[in-house]
Amino acid sequence: MLSSQHFVQPPPPAASTAMDRQEQRPRHSAASLSIAQPPGGMIVIAGKTYPTPPMIPSNYTVSYWSDTQIGMSGLKNLGNTCYMNSVIQCLSATVPFARFFIDGRWKAAVNLHNPLGSNGAVANAFAHLVHDLWQQESTYLSPYPFRKSICTYAPQFSGSDQHDAQEFLSFLLDGLHEDLNRILRKPALPSPTPEREKELETLAQQISSAQEWQLYRLRDDSLVVDYFQGQFRNRLQCLTCKQTSTTFNSFMYLSLPIPTGRGVTKVTLKQCLDAFVKPETMEKSDAWLVSPNNPPSIKAGSNARPNRKCPNCKTLRKAEKQLSLSRLPPVLLIHLKRFSFKGPFTDKLETMVDFPLKDLDLTNYMPPLLPPNMDVQGLTGQRAYGDDDPRRQVPPFKYELYGVVNHFGSLTSGHYTAFIASKGGWIYCDDSRLSQANPQDVVGRPAYILFYRRVKT
């Protein structure tokens, strides 16, 4: 167990009773939500004019953070809830993100008009649990109130079944995003015109990426977007006529394939990243399906796939698909794809993935910095963010590890634990038990989800 010397000074006290905590929930009326931009404001993106959506104002700073002492307590296992406990420990160690909730700033950021949110219930439950973890009033806590609130909106996590930690992490961050989405009324964005689609094939990737990110943030803009969301480019090329089609997609985490092969027992994280960006030939049911005047559609069924439309061939063709990174977030979540599903059966890859504790450099996976004369509007982040803002899309893109979710056993009968970086050392979190860990133990075969923070160089 950890000694008392490990514990840090607790943050300001929160309400101590359930009734007090309920009263701390946000009580905004529609009129009390001030608008950051005046109604009727307009914004020009890629030559088109869009109405500026009404927003909840934000005045906090997105920041880098250095290795610091983390306020920690263990978390009681409520019956196969280790998947939840390990994720919570890692999010609580995301220092500026946790402070936003500990300091109570989340209350003024809750969007009570978002039908996809929980009216602040998920944010409220998360805030109180993280506060109590940092308060450290006992060796371990029961996350029962938090879990009860989560299960109200995600009943799949109730009961005593084991669940995937990555699935829970995705739900929780999505839920916090919708609770804290600054966009009070999401504008309807028209589908890309043929002219815009053509423009995406010719513009510099850095410019088109920035424009698509601006469009994305017209509907989705929150603390979660600020810290956790990045963007990748998906380019499809017909192998017959060489026509390309480019789209940009946001991501909350990178799901990296683990290279396999006869006799392969160990790979590097770089090999996983290389496999992620490696061109992939699409054929048969995955091919670029062309149907004139027929927009992309998805057929019902568990294996439903979109029909892809090539403007030239007008027939089924082989295509090459390639993903590339176009925007990296301050906090990079990496999900190692250890599980594969074959009907009712689940296989797990036990391959050792060697990943760095420090100096993860992703600069070579990003497009190069544009000359200033090619970015006259400052879209790419060279001028959009200050030097001390980790959202600034300027190289180098270097990261340090601060959290790991581990998985032992199978998906249905396994166990989750976590490693947390704290004040130059590492803490091992096994539900209610916390213990000091050796750095060499952090990089191990059970590693499943990696939490990296961007560092300023």
Side-chain angles (χ1 to χ4, degrees):
M1 301 298 291
L2 292 176
S3 66
S4 60
Q5 283 76 15
H6 170 79
F7 297 144
V8 298
Q9 196 68 21
S16 57
T17 68
M19 181 64 69
D20 290 337
R21 290 184 175 188
Q22 185 177 4
E23 290 307 310
Q24 288 190 28
R25 291 277 298 279
R27 301 296 182 195
H28 301 309
S29 66
S32 71
L33 288 170
S34 57
I35 306 302
Q37 292 85 14
M42 308 298 285
I43 183 172
V44 178
I45 302 174
K48 289 196 66 175
T49 301
Y50 299 89
T52 302
M55 297 176 64
I56 298 173
S58 172
N59 58 4
Y60 76 93
T61 301
V62 178
S63 61
Y64 293 94
W65 82 95
S66 57
D67 184 26
T68 187
Q69 194 162 320
I70 305 299
M72 299 179 69
S73 298
L75 289 169
K76 182 180 179 180
N77 192 316
L78 303 176
N80 280 332
T81 57
C82 52
Y83 68 91
M84 178 184 75
N85 293 345
S86 59
V87 165
I88 292 297
Q89 294 286 12
C90 290
L91 289 179
S92 180
T94 309
V95 175
F97 184 71
R99 283 178 180 157
F100 182 84
F101 293 93
I102 294 169
D103 295 344
R105 284 179 286 174
W106 66 276
K107 297 172 193 173
V110 170
N111 185 339
L112 298 178
H113 305 275
N114 185 1
L116 299 178
S118 67
N119 285 329
V122 171
N124 181 64
F126 180 76
H128 284 103
L129 180 57
V130 171
H131 178 277
D132 289 348
L133 283 172
W134 280 76
Q135 191 84 354
Q136 305 170 133
E137 292 181 344
S138 59
T139 306
Y140 67 89
L141 306 171
S142 171
Y144 175 78
F146 171 80
R147 182 170 182 253
K148 182 179 179 182
S149 180
I150 291 296
C151 292
T152 301
Y153 300 93
Q156 67 268 29
F157 295 117
S158 59
S160 59
D161 291 339
Q162 181 64 275
H163 291 279
D164 185 356
Q166 185 268 334
E167 179 186 352
F168 176 75
L169 174 63
S170 179
F171 164 79
L172 180 55
L173 287 179
D174 282 343
L176 291 173
H177 161 67
E178 297 297 352
D179 271 359
L180 303 176
N181 195 349
R182 302 179 188 108
I183 308 299
L184 291 170
R185 187 169 61 250
K186 293 185 178 184
L189 298 180
S191 300
T193 62
E195 291 76 20
R196 176 57 179 168
E197 291 179 345
K198 184 177 180 180
E199 189 177 45
L200 288 175
E201 310 309 313
T202 57
L203 273 177
Q205 179 179 346
Q206 301 90 325
I207 298 294
S208 54
S209 162
Q211 291 174 343
E212 293 297 302
W213 186 250
Q214 282 186 310
L215 286 171
Y216 174 73
R217 290 183 61 218
L218 287 179
R219 293 175 55 85
D220 293 278
D221 190 11
S222 70
L223 178 82
V224 174
V225 174
D226 290 337
Y227 274 104
F228 294 98
Q229 288 198 5
Q231 182 195 63
F232 63 82
R233 183 184 73 169
N234 185 348
R235 171 159 284 186
L236 200 67
Q237 183 175 42
C238 176
L239 294 180
T240 300
C241 70
K242 306 304 179 184
Q243 176 74 27
T244 60
S245 175
T246 301
T247 57
F248 290 86
N249 304 93
S250 64
F251 66 83
M252 193 86 75
Y253 47 83
L254 290 180
S255 285
L256 301 186
I258 300 175
T260 59
R262 181 175 296 179
V264 175
T265 60
K266 182 179 180 179
V267 299
T268 64
L269 185 60
K270 183 181 184 303
Q271 288 174 303
C272 297
L273 285 161
D274 290 342
F276 178 78
V277 299
K278 181 181 178 181
E280 176 186 4
T281 299
M282 316 293 287
E283 54 184 331
K284 296 182 180 178
S285 61
D286 286 326
W288 202 346
L289 178 62
V290 177
S291 178
N293 304 316
N294 196 16
S297 63
I298 294 184
K299 299 178 181 179
S302 59
N303 295 318
R305 298 182 185 278
N307 295 336
R308 299 179 179 89
K309 185 177 180 181
C310 174
N312 286 339
C313 294
K314 311 298 189 221
T315 188
L316 192 66
R317 294 293 194 192
K318 286 185 179 181
E320 184 178 85
K321 172 185 175 182
Q322 184 170 22
L323 302 178
S324 59
L325 299 178
S326 55
R327 183 181 185 86
L328 284 171
V331 175
L332 179 64
L333 306 180
I334 295 179
H335 164 234
L336 300 175
K337 296 174 71 173
R338 293 200 175 275
F339 297 105
S340 61
F341 300 90
K342 298 176 182 178
F345 302 103
T346 304
D347 291 334
K348 182 183 177 185
L349 282 174
E350 297 285 0
T351 307
M352 167 75 175
V353 178
D354 188 9
F355 49 90
L357 301 184
K358 297 179 183 289
D359 298 323
L360 173 62
D361 192 347
L362 300 181
T363 304
N364 291 337
Y365 292 92
M366 290 286 286
L369 194 62
L370 280 180
N373 63 333
M374 292 186 63
D375 186 19
V376 293
Q377 295 182 352
L379 288 176
T380 62
Q382 299 178 54
R383 300 196 302 272
Y385 300 103
D387 292 346
D388 294 325
D389 194 320
R391 294 172 295 177
R392 193 168 188 249
Q393 298 300 296
V394 175
F397 294 91
K398 291 189 176 182
Y399 289 80
E400 287 187 359
L401 189 75
Y402 72 92
V404 179
V405 171
N406 305 296
H407 180 267
F408 302 87
S410 68
L411 183 60
T412 55
S413 61
H415 183 58
Y416 289 96
T417 66
F419 286 109
I420 301 297
S422 179
K423 196 68 172 180
W426 286 87
I427 308 300
Y428 186 59
C429 308
D430 186 357
D431 288 329
S432 60
R433 298 181 297 275
L434 304 181
S435 58
Q436 301 284 351
N438 293 320
Q440 58 265 32
D441 294 332
V442 174
V443 183
R445 197 177 300 274
Y448 182 46
I449 307 174
L450 311 178
F451 288 68
Y452 279 97
R453 59 182 176 86
R454 191 177 179 188
V455 294
K456 188 176 181 181
T457 55

